[in-house]
Amino acid sequence: QVIIEDDGPEKLDPKYFGELLADLSRKNTDLYHCLLEHLQRIGGRYCKYIICLDSEDIESLIPRGLSEFTKQQIRYILQMRGMSDKSLHLVLSTFSNIREELGHLQNDLTLLENDKIRLEKDLAFKETQIKEYEELLASVRANNRQQQQGLQDLTSKCQALEENNLSLRHTLSDMEYKLKELEYCNHNLEQENKNLRIQVSETCTGPMLQVKMDEIGNHYMEMVKNLRMEKDREICKLR
């Protein structure tokens, strides 16, 4: 027979239990400081209703009549409880601040969406204006080209008219020169006729001679009249 002796449940070493509580207390404190640093880094606000237990409050909660080692263990437990409450409130503050930041971000996102819609409308309006401006500019350029072509045509016509006018002026000058020559010849003929009349009147007289002289004078006057009429017609035609 194998006799198994049962001494009851295994007892935990009080020293090991105290060290475990101390290590948990240190880690809990480190966790609190990490959360506090995180909250300060994101710019959060602290909760004003955190209940902090100081050393006197902790000592008042420890029952009397216990050993110093047991008191130390209870003291670790109470410190961990207070630190856990602080950590919890820091976590709640962090989530509250994050919720507020999310609300602000949502509002900013809504404003940005509204600005985006407004900018898209402005962009569409400006694109329409640009298209209208381009169409107007194309029309103005087409009209400008037509006006330039018309101006070139008018310039060519003016140059042709100036050349024609210059040619007419030269022709008129030639006709005036010819007219002066005819007038000079007419003057010479009149002078010669006058001299002939004087000579004839001095040499002979008689009705037949007078008739002959009248015929010659009438013929001469008719010829001069025709020359003047032809001259006037040429001048009118040239003008």
Side-chain angles (χ1 to χ4, degrees), residues 16-27 72 76 80:
Y16 173 74
F17 183 69
E19 293 176 354
L20 180 61
L21 287 177
D23 185 55
L24 288 175
S25 179
R26 285 193 299 272
K27 290 182 178 180
Q72 185 64 28
Y76 282 148
M80 283 191 296

Side-chain angles (χ1 to χ4, degrees), residues 186 218-233:
N186 185 18
N218 291 332
H219 179 71
Y220 175 75
M221 294 301 293
E222 186 69 24
M223 184 179 64
V224 172
K225 183 178 179 181
N226 291 330
L227 287 174
R228 286 181 177 177
M229 290 176 66
E230 184 178 358
K231 177 196 70 172
D232 293 337
R233 283 196 299 269

Side-chain angles (χ1 to χ4, degrees), residues 7 21 41 59 62 92 125-126 156 169 176 187 202 211 220 225 236:
D7 296 335
L21 287 177
R41 186 176 298 173
E59 293 297 331
I62 297 174
L92 293 176
F125 177 71
K126 290 181 179 179
S156 301
R169 285 180 180 178
E176 288 178 352
H187 179 70
E202 290 178 354
V211 173
Y220 175 75
K225 183 178 179 181
C236 291

